[in-house]
């Protein structure tokens, strides 16, 4: 289309992405690349494999995150993987496997004048065989000799120049551990996941520099934005070690393999900064999850389990190494022989364990000398870890004993700057970290200011929406002229950009570290309600340590978080809620379920991210779920509540000041209750809720806000059925839906909440009042739809439940709910089916389902159905073609062969707790996902889809882009704007 592309040319992009062309280009300059063959069908792949020999690797063309790639041990495995990869990619590469080689990356920038530098090099702790996105990564590289480092650097510059890259790219190598042999694995001619890491690790803003280079500005004229004195053509040098550790959430999925390999499965990552590898590594492990104390024994493995874990790595391998070293089950050499992890890394790991052993002989914190204390802190031990190792009092009390002892000995962390130049030139930067290595602080202590706690690692249930909230809070503080400090450790976020706030601490979100910073800078208060669950969990510990918490009090946060206290408070103010009880034994639980009637929802306290929430429909299921929720004891009570079937779920997002709402939004879910709110499709303003129900929601909201004396953001969830409107949960923090609500209503809810917490008026912000929620927005509807990663999680069952499984979201606007819904669904990569749709619905749901099925038939789709659904549809006069179940593979026509043969354009599989064909349902869903066939598993979503497709055919839905301004002008409401600019 003659579009002028700036920077790297399209030709160069294709040369790096197309596996065959890439191989040809590399051979032109006599560089080394793994032996490989590019193929576009299964038989050619098998021929290539016979030439190369097994085990081998396959990679998909034009794929992100190693999607469709993997190690194949034999021909059946290759055929299976190739079929799946080719269903989503035009071609694959079959290449020699270099398992066990070191994996090294360089980030390179080049300008139009052929100035070319390497900005950062990184080395994976895990050798080749684990995708770099799932590897622990250190920057700068730690185990390369000077010769190896420069050999790879020279190759990088030579290759990048030959490829004609302008801007930024990264190049990945496999390096033989004992010889100088190496291979180029791939080049990404764009910013990649590791570019964000490299930018934060070095303080060199790669995307910012790349943008200027794409405009033709030479490197010699781009200023280093940290030093403000040097040019961007300096290669950064680092006087610290950065460690990146991935965050997985594989425990949330059934049937998914926990093994990690060449296809990426992690959902987030953390980055820590320390002066030694030990300090950096322990900090990073704690950042991944607050429940991890550091590099130590964390699970109870037998020797055989440790050996398996080392041979076939999972997301827990690092703890198996720690236990093997701590209990002397294996030596460093033995671990190296199995894992091929470099000896140097393993010796550093052993050093952490050895230093920790010094505490074995001590009985109290007073037995630790100043030198011993300092040595422990230098290798990254936290106060909490030291307290546990010495067997001090549990919880914060033990931690405080260690803290007091260490401060009395003068053992405190120093604050250091990241200045890109290893302190060789003066730098004026607010990009900070803390370390126990060092003699002095790089920056003077600040007086006052507000600390905002960030969201930590992205994971399922807490992702970029909380980063948006954190950044909105910092910007609101800036607008008010207040000094702001951000504490966060996620390299992928905007909140960790050093130019967003006055001070950025790239540090742990732990009680210990927040206190270090709060006391050092004599801060005036901490905002904990914009970063999701991690900061929220620090409310009581920080409050007890004397930290001033801005907004709703810590006691009231606990009142909402503690299921027992919260339910009692609702009863006290007369807000309806589902029947509930606190359980300490299985017999009590079974009696409650009998009295209240099944189904019931099992909700353990003290379980991170709802990992054992389940709906039980029978006494047997209840027993199973109680066992899953762990030992039911008086220490860990379990709340059981009546589960309301067929209810609408409604959410109230708002901003309060002194127990009164100053702004609010009410939205509804398309799916009935029983789907986690993070996986539900949201509609704003609500379309199907009666005025009576809305009035009940507003009334309950007012009572709750007053009872908990809320100041700041709040999210209250309700279920409604008939005339019952029941509160099921209240979060005294920003919720996942705040960005969606703010962007749909055109007003910054978090900015308003920040003002409320600082005691500033919000009247001028044009917030929608609690009584006015259904009039905003006018003339259009917003729909937020979830995005799932089931294709990457091989084996996971793609079905929705009370536990969240989506990893992202999209939102679209439309003239009506159906139009917005269809746009949002298509935005998640869901293709409109062209000809044929497969129906398989649980028997008890078929009567309701007939209406949607008939609509799809009227739209001209050819319908296929499995046995029970086919009978029900034929009986009601909906024409469809019969297919056999997956578990009857010998019978044709079979569902699986139809899906694999590309004859089905969309699968509708709606199970229920009464489903008897569990395996069949799973196989239909899983095969659809593996072969790129869109899938719907919820009856309300299917109805909405059929309605939307029907309206589109009638011409009432327009999927072509239209500005909201055009819609306003067409409808000519009273508040017509004259100019588009003014409207925006």
């Amino acid at each position: 289309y003659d579009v002028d592309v700036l920077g790297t040319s399209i030709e160069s992009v294709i040369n790096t992405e197309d596996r065959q062309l890439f191989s040809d280009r590399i051979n032109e300059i006599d560089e080394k690349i793994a032996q490989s063959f590019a193929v576009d069908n299964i038989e050619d792949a098998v021929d290539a494999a016979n030439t190369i020999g097994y085990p081998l690797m396959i990679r998909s063309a034009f794929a992100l995150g190693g999607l469709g790639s993997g190690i194949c041990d034999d021909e059946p495995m290759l055929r299976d993987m190739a079929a799946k990869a080719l269903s989503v990619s035009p071609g694959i590469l079959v290449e020699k496997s270099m398992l066990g080689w070191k994996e090294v990356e360089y980030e390179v920038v080049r300008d139009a004048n052929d100035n070319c530098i390497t900005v950062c090099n990184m080395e994976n702790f895990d050798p080749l065989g684990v995708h770099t996105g799932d590897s622990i990564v250190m920057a700068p590289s730690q185990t390369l000799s000077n010769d190896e480092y420069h050999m790879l650097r020279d190759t990088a510059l030579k290759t990048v120049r030959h490829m004609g890259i302008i801007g930024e790219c990264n190049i990945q190598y496999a390096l033989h551990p004992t010889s100088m042999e190496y291979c180029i694995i791939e080049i990404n001619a764009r910013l990649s996941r590791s570019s964000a890491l490299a930018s934060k690790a070095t303080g060199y803003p790669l995307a910012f520099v790349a943008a200027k280079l794409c405009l033709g500005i030479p490197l010699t004229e781009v200023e280093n934005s940290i030093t403000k004195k040097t040019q961007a053509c300096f290669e950064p040098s680092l006087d610290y070690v950065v460690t990146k550790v991935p965050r997985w959430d594989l425990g949330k999925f059934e049937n998914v393999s926990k093994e990690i390999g060449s296809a990426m499965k992690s959902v987030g990552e953390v980055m820590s900064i320390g002066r030694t590898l030990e300090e950096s590594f322990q900090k990073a492990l704690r950042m991944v999850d607050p429940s991890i104390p550091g590099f130590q024994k964390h699970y109870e493995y037998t020797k055989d389990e440790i050996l398996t874990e080392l041979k076939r790595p999972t997301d827990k391998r690092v703890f198996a190494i720690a236990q093997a070293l701590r209990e002397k089950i294996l030596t460093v050499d033995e671990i190296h022989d199995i894992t091929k992890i470099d000896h140097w890394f393993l010796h550093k790991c052993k050093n952490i364990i050895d230093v920790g052993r010094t505490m074995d002989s001590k009985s109290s914190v007073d037995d630790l000398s100043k030198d011993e204390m300092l040595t422990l802190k230098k290798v990254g031990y936290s106060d909490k870890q030291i307290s546990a190792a010495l067997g001090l009092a549990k919880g914060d009390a033990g931690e405080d004993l260690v803290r007091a002892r260490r401060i009395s000995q003068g053992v405190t962390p120093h604050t250091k700057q990241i200045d890109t130049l290893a302190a060789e030139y003066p730098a004026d930067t607010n990009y900070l970290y803390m370390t126990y290595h060092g003699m002095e602080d790089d920056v003077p202590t600040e007086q006052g200011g507000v600390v905002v706690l960030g969201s930590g690692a992205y994971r399922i249930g807490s992702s970029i929406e909380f980063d948006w909230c954190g950044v909105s809070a910092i910007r609101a503080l800036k607008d008010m002229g207040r000094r702001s400090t951000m504490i966060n450790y996620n390299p992928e976020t905007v909140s960790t950009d050093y130019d967003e706030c006055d001070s950025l601490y790239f540090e742990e979100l732990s009680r210990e570290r927040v206190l270090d910073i709060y006391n050092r800078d004599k801060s005036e208060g901490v905002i904990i309600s914009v970063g999701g669950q991690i900061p929220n969990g620090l409310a009581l510990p920080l409050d007890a340590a004397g930290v001033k918490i801005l907004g709703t009090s810590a006691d009231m946060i606990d009142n909402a978080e503690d299921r027992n206290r919260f339910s009692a408070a609702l009863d006290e103010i007369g807000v309806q809620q589902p029947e509930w009880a606190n359980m300490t034994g299985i017999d009590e639980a079974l009696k409650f379920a009998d009295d209240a009637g099944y189904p019931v929802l099992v909700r353990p306290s003290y379980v991170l991210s709802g990992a054992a929430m389940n709906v039980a429909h029978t006494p047997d299921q209840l027993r199973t779920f109680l066992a899953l929720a762990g030992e039911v004891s008086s220490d860990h009570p379990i709340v059981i509540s009546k589960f309301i079937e067929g209810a609408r779920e409604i959410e109230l997002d708002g901003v309060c000041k002194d127990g009164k709402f100053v702004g609010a939004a009410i939205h509804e879910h398309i799916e009935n209750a029983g789907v986690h709110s993070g996986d539900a499709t949201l509609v704003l303003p609500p379309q199907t809720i009666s005025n009576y129900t809305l009035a009940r929601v507003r009334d309950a909201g007012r009572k709750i806000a007053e009872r908990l004396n809320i100041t700041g953001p709040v999210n209250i969830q309700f279920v409604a059925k008939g005339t019952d409107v029941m509160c099921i949960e209240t979060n005294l923090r920003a919720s996942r839906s705040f960005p969606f609500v703010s962007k749909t209503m055109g007003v910054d809810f978090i900015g308003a909440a920040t003002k409320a917490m600082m005691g500033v008026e919000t009247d001028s912000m044009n917030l929608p009042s609690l009584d006015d929620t259904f009039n905003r927005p006018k003339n259009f509807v917003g729909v937020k739809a979830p995005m799932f990663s089931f294709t990457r999680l091989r084996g996971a069952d793609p079905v929705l439940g009370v536990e969240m499984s989506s990893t992202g979201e999209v939102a679209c606007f439309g003239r009506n709910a159906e139009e917005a819904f269809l746009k949002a669904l298509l935005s998640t990569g869901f293709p409109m089916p062209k000809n044929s749709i497969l129906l398989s619905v649980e028997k008890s749901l078929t009567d309701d389902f007939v209406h949607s099925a008939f609509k799809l038939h009227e739209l001209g789709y050819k319908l296929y159905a499995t046995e029970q659904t086919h009978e029900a549809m034929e009986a009601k006069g909906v024409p469809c073609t019969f297919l056999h179940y997956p578990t009857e593979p010998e019978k044709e026509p079979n569902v699986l062969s139809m899906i694999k043969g590309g004859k089905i354009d969309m699968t509708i599989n709606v199970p229920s707790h009464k489903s008897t064909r569990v395996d069949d349902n799973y196989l239909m869903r899983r095969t659809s996902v593996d072969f790129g066939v869109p899938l719907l598993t919820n009856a309300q979503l299917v109805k909405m889809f059929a309605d939307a497709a029907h309206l589109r055919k009638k011409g009432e839905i327009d999927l072509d882009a239209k500005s909201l301004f055009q819609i306003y002008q067409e409808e000519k409401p009273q508040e017509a704007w004259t100019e588009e600019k003014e409207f925006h």
Side-chain angles (χ1 to χ4, degrees):
Y1 290 103
D2 291 334
V3 174
D4 195 10
V5 174
L6 301 175
T8 304
S9 69
I10 295 294
E11 185 193 5
S12 299
V13 174
I14 293 171
N15 280 337
T16 56
E17 286 286 343
D18 182 297
R19 297 290 177 179
Q20 189 57 54
L21 291 172
F22 178 62
S23 178
D24 298 344
R25 291 290 89 79
I26 297 291
N27 288 328
E28 288 168 4
I29 49 171
D30 294 333
E31 273 304 339
K32 305 180 187 96
I33 186 167
Q35 182 192 6
S36 63
F37 296 95
V39 297
D40 58 10
N41 63 67
I42 297 176
E43 293 313 317
D44 287 355
V46 174
D47 293 344
N50 292 334
T51 311
I52 296 172
Y54 295 95
L56 51 82
M57 174 89 175
I58 67 166
R59 301 173 182 275
S60 306
F62 292 95
L64 260 179
L67 184 61
S69 75
I71 302 266
C72 303
D73 296 326
D74 50 34
E75 189 175 315
M77 198 169 171
L78 172 70
R79 284 182 179 275
D80 175 55
M81 285 184 70
K84 288 177 184 172
L86 286 167
S87 71
V88 291
S89 168
I92 56 173
L93 190 77
V94 180
E95 80 173 20
K96 178 185 153 191
S97 162
M98 293 170 291
L99 266 171
W101 288 33
K102 291 183 187 185
E103 191 166 357
V104 184
E105 283 186 64
Y106 282 70
E107 297 287 328
V108 186
V109 291
R110 175 176 177 262
D111 67 15
N113 299 353
D114 203 27
N115 295 310
C116 192
I117 62 168
T118 58
V119 174
C120 180
N121 88 314
M122 297 176 262
E123 176 179 8
N124 292 6
F125 175 88
D126 304 281
L128 221 72
V130 175
H131 187 282
T132 177
D134 274 355
S135 295
I136 296 171
V137 178
M138 315 282 181
S141 59
Q142 300 290 307
T143 72
L144 303 192
S145 68
N146 202 35
D147 291 346
E148 288 171 324
Y149 172 83
H150 282 286
M151 169 180 79
L152 297 181
R153 180 181 174 275
D154 293 345
T155 302
L157 301 181
K158 175 175 155 190
T159 312
V160 167
R161 287 181 162 135
H162 180 67
M163 287 287 185
I165 309 279
I166 294 175
E168 196 270 354
C169 70
N170 84 323
I171 180 166
Q172 291 173 13
Y173 295 103
L175 175 68
H176 193 277
T178 52
S179 69
M180 296 282 277
E181 193 187 338
Y182 67 90
C183 286
I184 297 171
I185 301 173
E186 66 175 352
I187 291 181
N188 287 312
R190 55 175 169 81
L191 288 127
S192 62
R193 190 179 325 95
S194 45
S195 314
L197 179 69
S199 298
K200 299 285 159 88
T202 56
Y204 187 105
L206 284 166
F208 173 82
V209 172
K212 294 202 167 194
L213 303 185
C214 291
L215 295 171
I217 301 170
L219 266 172
T220 46
E221 289 173 28
V222 180
E223 183 185 69
N224 176 331
S225 49
I226 280 202
T227 59
K228 307 240 184 336
K229 296 179 180 65
T230 53
Q231 277 72 44
C233 56
F234 275 76
E235 295 197 358
S237 52
L238 315 187
D239 51 359
Y240 49 85
V241 182
V242 164
T243 304
K244 176 212 100 176
V245 178
R247 155 91 197 201
W248 293 271
D249 266 325
L250 301 176
K252 285 190 169 284
F253 301 93
E254 281 184 50
N255 305 327
V256 75
S257 151
K258 302 277 192 293
E259 284 181 23
I260 54 176
S262 63
M264 184 174 159
K265 291 180 180 179
S266 60
V267 288
E269 61 186 32
V270 305
M271 179 186 115
S272 69
I273 308 166
R275 279 285 166 100
T276 56
L277 187 127
E278 293 94 328
E279 182 178 49
S280 178
F281 191 36
Q282 288 230 72
K283 276 167 88 168
L285 289 174
R286 284 194 290 275
M287 289 171 175
V288 172
D289 195 285
S291 66
I292 297 171
F295 181 73
Q296 63 183 60
K297 177 178 170 178
H298 192 53
Y299 302 96
E300 200 57 65
Y301 290 119
T302 61
K303 182 170 182 178
D304 286 347
E305 284 169 340
I306 287 178
L307 291 170
T308 309
E309 190 70 49
L310 298 186
K311 279 192 195 95
R312 310 200 65 142
T314 74
D315 51 339
K316 312 260 188 321
R317 168 158 85 171
V318 61
F319 301 110
I321 295 174
Q323 187 181 336
L325 290 169
R326 171 72 195 171
E327 297 178 359
K328 299 189 175 171
I329 296 170
L330 299 168
T331 64
V332 164
D333 288 345
E334 288 169 327
I335 297 172
H336 167 78
D337 290 343
I338 303 169
T339 62
K340 300 291 181 274
I341 296 171
D342 194 278
H343 281 96
W344 190 86
F345 285 133
L346 293 172
H347 278 294
K348 291 289 175 188
C349 290
K350 182 170 179 290
N351 188 37
I352 296 174
I353 299 291
D354 290 346
V355 171
R357 279 187 216 281
T358 56
M359 295 184 281
D360 292 356
S361 56
K362 310 276 195 269
S363 55
S364 94
V365 70
D366 296 333
D367 298 346
L368 286 174
S369 69
K370 179 178 175 176
D371 283 352
E372 287 170 326
M373 180 71 87
L374 186 58
T375 307
L376 283 165
K377 298 305 280 183
K378 278 183 172 179
V379 295
Y381 279 92
S382 68
D383 291 351
K384 200 186 224 161
Q385 258 176 308
I386 295 172
S387 159
L390 295 171
L392 305 180
K394 279 203 168 136
D396 298 337
E399 192 182 319
D400 284 340
L401 288 171
V402 178
R403 184 180 188 83
R405 170 73 174 165
R406 139 175 106 64
I407 290 172
S408 73
Q409 292 172 325
V411 177
T412 53
H414 291 291
T415 302
K416 294 289 179 190
Q417 289 172 314
I418 287 201
D419 58 11
T420 73
L421 301 163
E424 289 172 29
Y425 293 83
D428 174 30
T429 165
N430 59 348
Y431 186 1
L432 311 169
Y433 68 99
M434 289 185 139
T435 176
Y436 281 89
H437 297 263
M439 312 297 287
E440 58 181 13
D441 289 337
D442 287 355
V443 287
T445 57
E446 295 302 341
Q447 298 303 314
V450 174
V451 176
V452 178
L453 301 187
S455 57
Y458 288 162
R459 57 187 174 288
I460 291 176
S462 165
S463 190
I464 194 159
E465 57 275 17
F466 293 113
D467 186 51
W468 179 88
C469 295
V471 171
S472 296
I474 308 174
R475 290 180 183 170
L477 289 168
K478 198 181 258 179
D479 291 344
M480 289 182 254
R482 306 300 281 266
R483 198 189 147 72
S484 64
T485 297
M486 169 56 76
I487 308 177
N488 199 4
Y489 48 74
N490 185 336
E492 308 171 83
T493 58
V494 178
S495 58
T496 53
D497 287 353
Y498 51 82
D499 49 3
E500 283 292 339
C501 52
D502 296 305
S503 292
L504 166 66
Y505 282 91
F506 218 101
E507 270 299 341
E508 294 177 65
L509 286 165
S510 62
R511 178 176 181 267
E512 176 184 344
R513 195 41 38 106
V514 173
L515 282 174
D516 289 338
I517 295 166
Y518 178 83
N519 294 334
R520 178 187 187 271
D521 287 348
K522 302 183 178 56
S523 308
E524 53 188 285
V526 178
I527 293 180
I528 60 166
S529 54
V530 294
Q533 205 52 46
I534 291 180
N536 217 36
L538 288 172
L540 285 176
L542 289 176
D543 185 59
V547 170
K548 182 179 179 191
I549 287 178
L550 299 171
T552 312
S553 73
D555 180 51
M556 288 302 163
I557 292 173
D558 183 58
N559 202 335
E561 290 279 317
D562 181 321
R563 294 297 313 170
N564 225 347
R565 284 185 70 186
F566 179 61
S567 293
L570 289 184
D571 288 344
E572 172 197 322
I573 54 175
V575 170
Q576 195 184 354
Q577 60 181 322
E579 260 183 272
W580 68 282
N582 222 1
M583 296 296 140
T584 49
I586 289 183
D587 297 339
E588 279 181 64
L590 290 164
K591 182 177 183 318
F592 169 82
D594 279 344
D595 297 345
Y598 288 91
V600 293
L601 179 67
V602 179
R603 209 187 248 266
S605 318
Y606 310 104
V607 173
L608 276 172
S609 70
M613 265 185 34
N614 275 302
V615 178
H617 293 271
T618 62
D620 286 346
Q621 279 188 341
L622 183 55
R623 282 195 187 88
T624 312
F625 293 150
L626 287 171
L628 267 181
E631 179 198 354
V632 188
S633 66
S634 50
D635 298 349
H636 295 276
I638 285 183
V639 172
I640 295 195
S641 58
K642 171 91 181 110
F643 179 73
I644 315 295
E645 287 187 284
R648 295 306 270 169
E649 199 158 331
I650 305 167
E651 294 192 55
L652 165 59
D653 280 324
V655 175
C656 298
K657 190 164 184 239
D658 305 326
K660 300 263 186 297
F661 274 93
V662 293
I666 298 175
H667 42 96
E668 66 173 325
H669 296 183
I670 291 179
E671 297 87 347
N672 283 347
V675 172
H676 189 289
S677 61
D679 286 350
T681 312
L682 268 51
V683 185
L684 177 74
Q687 303 293 302
T688 67
I689 301 175
S690 72
N691 286 9
Y692 170 76
T693 302
L694 280 171
R696 290 279 309 272
V697 166
R698 289 199 289 269
D699 177 56
R702 283 197 180 93
K703 287 178 173 170
I704 292 169
E706 192 175 335
R707 169 67 177 76
L708 298 175
N709 192 20
I710 302 172
T711 295
V714 60
N715 160 261
I716 310 177
Q717 295 171 17
F718 297 92
V719 289
K721 188 177 184 182
T723 56
D724 291 328
V725 179
M726 297 177 253
C727 174
I728 52 172
E729 191 172 329
T730 295
N731 291 310
L732 298 187
R733 55 171 169 82
S735 75
R736 195 174 297 103
S737 44
F738 265 68
F740 167 65
V741 166
S742 298
K743 290 176 184 185
T744 306
M745 288 190 160
V747 56
D748 183 354
F749 271 65
I750 294 293
T754 308
K755 284 187 168 179
M757 289 188 276
M758 299 303 293
V760 176
E761 282 310 313
T762 55
D763 300 347
S764 62
M765 292 189 68
N766 188 22
L767 288 164
S769 76
L770 188 57
D771 294 317
D772 187 35
T773 46
F774 44 85
N775 291 328
R776 296 267 290 264
K778 264 190 180 142
N779 308 319
F780 70 94
V781 179
V783 167
K784 172 168 96 75
M787 176 106 189
F788 298 93
S789 300
F790 290 121
T791 36
R792 293 180 183 279
L793 298 166
R794 293 221 176 113
D797 187 355
V799 69
L800 305 185
V802 284
E803 185 154 348
M804 183 167 163
S805 57
S806 60
T807 48
E809 62 189 28
V810 301
C812 289
F813 299 152
R815 285 173 300 183
N816 49 39
E818 289 81 5
E819 179 173 294
F821 168 77
L822 205 52
K823 283 182 174 177
L825 190 65
L826 299 178
S827 302
T828 63
F830 189 104
M832 270 309 266
K834 295 206 167 48
N835 309 311
S836 54
I837 297 179
L838 164 67
L839 312 176
S840 183
V841 181
E842 202 277 314
K843 204 170 183 177
S844 63
L845 306 171
T846 45
D847 279 3
D848 289 342
F849 185 72
V850 166
H851 306 282
S852 299
F854 191 71
K855 248 184 198 163
L856 294 172
H857 160 66
E858 273 198 328
L859 287 167
Y861 287 113
K862 180 166 173 52
L863 302 181
Y864 291 94
T866 51
E867 193 176 331
Q868 286 184 350
T869 312
H870 181 261
E871 279 170 25
M873 293 300 133
E874 287 286 326
K876 301 285 185 195
V878 180
C880 54
T881 307
F882 173 75
L883 295 179
H884 288 283
Y885 285 116
T887 48
E888 311 168 327
E890 66 290 342
K891 297 181 182 166
E892 285 292 340
N894 188 286
V895 171
L896 291 196
S897 51
M898 292 289 284
I899 296 175
K900 289 178 178 174
K903 301 202 176 75
I904 303 284
D905 296 332
M906 176 164 106
T907 301
I908 293 174
N909 172 258
V910 185
S912 84
H913 65 278
K914 299 182 185 136
S915 299
T916 46
R917 294 204 162 257
V918 177
D919 292 349
D920 284 319
N921 285 333
Y922 168 71
L923 285 166
M924 277 184 269
R925 292 192 291 265
R926 189 63 234 178
T927 311
S928 298
V929 167
D930 283 340
F931 285 86
V933 177
L935 170 73
L936 292 176
T937 60
N938 177 282
Q940 293 84 43
L941 277 186
V942 173
K943 180 182 182 304
M944 190 72 162
F945 177 81
D947 292 350
H950 185 66
L951 287 180
R952 186 185 181 189
K953 193 173 184 186
K954 282 168 61 181
E956 288 177 35
I957 283 185
D958 182 10
L959 292 181
D960 296 323
K962 211 173 218 195
S963 81
L964 296 178
F965 186 58
Q966 283 172 302
I967 296 174
Y968 267 106
Q969 282 186 315
E970 284 164 25
E971 310 237 342
K972 289 279 189 293
Q974 296 75 34
E975 63 264 42
W977 277 269
T978 48
E979 274 186 57
E980 184 150 8
K981 195 168 132 197
E982 195 183 321
F983 163 76
H984 279 298

